[in-house]
Amino acid sequence: MFRSTPHLVEQTLEPRTPIIGFLGVSAVLGVVLALVSFFVYGMFAVPILIFAGAATVAGHALNNRYPHPVLGACNIVTLARVAMIAFLTGALVSPDVSVWVVFAVASLAFALDGVDGWLARRADLVSDFGGRFDMETDAALGAVISLWLLISGTIGAEILILGFMRYAFVAAAFVWPALQAPLPQAFRRKAICVVQIASLIFLLFPLTPQVAAMPVAAIAALLLSWSFLVDVLWLVRRAT
């Protein structure tokens, strides 16, 4: 009886370890984010609110669906990317920020995209939660960059196709239940996501020729639209 008690306590506490680590890392990143945002923007309310909201949603999902007993460096990297995206939201309300700062932070967030997946595979911590966390982080990065490109006057409202296609798909799923079914893994989807974000980063680069902006945006938007159309048709056929 007494020998089994510690084992039972260990089994009870072990699943809670990832969320405790997640909350600790979130707190540290929140402090760093507040300090950097105040230094760059002179305020930190918007980035902190965005980061707190995103971390709350991600933490809830992790606590309920993450199957591993440790948080892992993979999820810490993704959470750091979320903090970078939250920092970029401050640029949307701070018109005087340097475009080079926006470009540098966005580029770093994009460069770390493949690192979290590699770390997850290396540590055997691959999970549906991690994949979804990474995907939603990519979508948020695209949305924030596209909004900044629009607000800064770099390109017109058509850039929102690149930034908000994912959210349009999610909204459509609320009124079209067939789109709520899970999709199979597809290299095509991952590759075009890379093209999407890379194109936005290219448009963000301060030295990009204006004449190249529209062709790059158009090609990336066509590829992204085609990819979503393929997924929609697959889901519709599966539902019928």
Side-chain angles (χ1 to χ4, degrees):
M1 174 66 72
F2 290 102
R3 290 183 179 179
S4 63
T5 301
H7 179 64
L8 291 175
V9 171
E10 183 180 352
Q11 283 186 325
T12 302
L13 294 179
E14 189 178 31
R16 295 178 60 85
T17 303
I19 189 60
I20 292 173
F22 187 89
L23 292 174
V25 174
S26 296
V28 172
L29 288 173
V31 171
V32 174
L33 174 62
L35 292 174
V36 175
S37 296
F38 187 77
F39 176 77
V40 175
Y41 303 127
M43 63 87 188
F44 55 82
V46 172
I48 284 296
L49 286 174
I50 295 296
F51 180 68
T56 299
V57 173
H60 177 75
L62 178 139
N63 197 40
N64 287 282
R65 297 199 290 267
Y66 188 62
H68 303 295
V70 294
L71 178 62
C74 50
N75 292 307
I76 293 175
V77 169
T78 308
L79 187 58
R81 294 179 65 221
V82 173
M84 294 176 199
I85 295 167
F87 170 81
L88 291 173
T89 62
L92 300 179
V93 294
S94 300
D96 295 332
V97 65
S98 169
V99 63
W100 286 104
V101 171
V102 177
F103 171 74
V105 176
S107 297
L108 180 58
F110 175 54
L112 290 174
D113 182 25
V115 175
D116 45 12
W118 177 80
L119 288 171
R121 291 187 294 272
R122 189 169 184 267
D124 198 22
L125 292 176
V126 175
S127 67
D128 289 340
F129 162 80
R132 181 66 179 271
F133 192 19
D134 181 63
M135 178 184 69
E136 297 299 347
T137 301
D138 289 339
L141 177 60
V144 172
I145 295 175
S146 67
L147 281 174
W148 194 91
L149 289 169
L150 176 63
I151 291 172
S152 66
T154 303
I155 199 168
E158 62 273 8
I159 196 63
L160 297 181
I161 295 175
L162 281 179
F164 288 86
M165 183 74 76
R166 160 71 183 163
Y167 299 108
F169 178 83
V170 172
F174 280 103
V175 296
W176 197 356
L179 302 184
Q180 298 176 14
L183 286 162
Q185 294 290 329
F187 176 77
R188 175 256 312 162
R189 196 178 302 119
K190 295 178 181 179
I192 290 181
C193 178
V194 171
V195 172
Q196 170 198 5
I197 304 299
S199 299
L200 288 168
I201 296 290
F202 175 78
L203 296 173
L204 194 59
F205 183 50
L207 301 182
T208 295
Q210 187 64 34
V211 68
M214 185 57 69
V216 169
I219 291 171
L222 284 172
L223 287 172
L224 187 64
S225 300
W226 168 74
S227 181
F228 271 94
L229 179 60
V230 170
D231 287 339
V232 168
L233 292 176
W234 186 89
L235 290 168
V236 170
R237 292 193 191 102
R238 183 178 180 275
T240 55

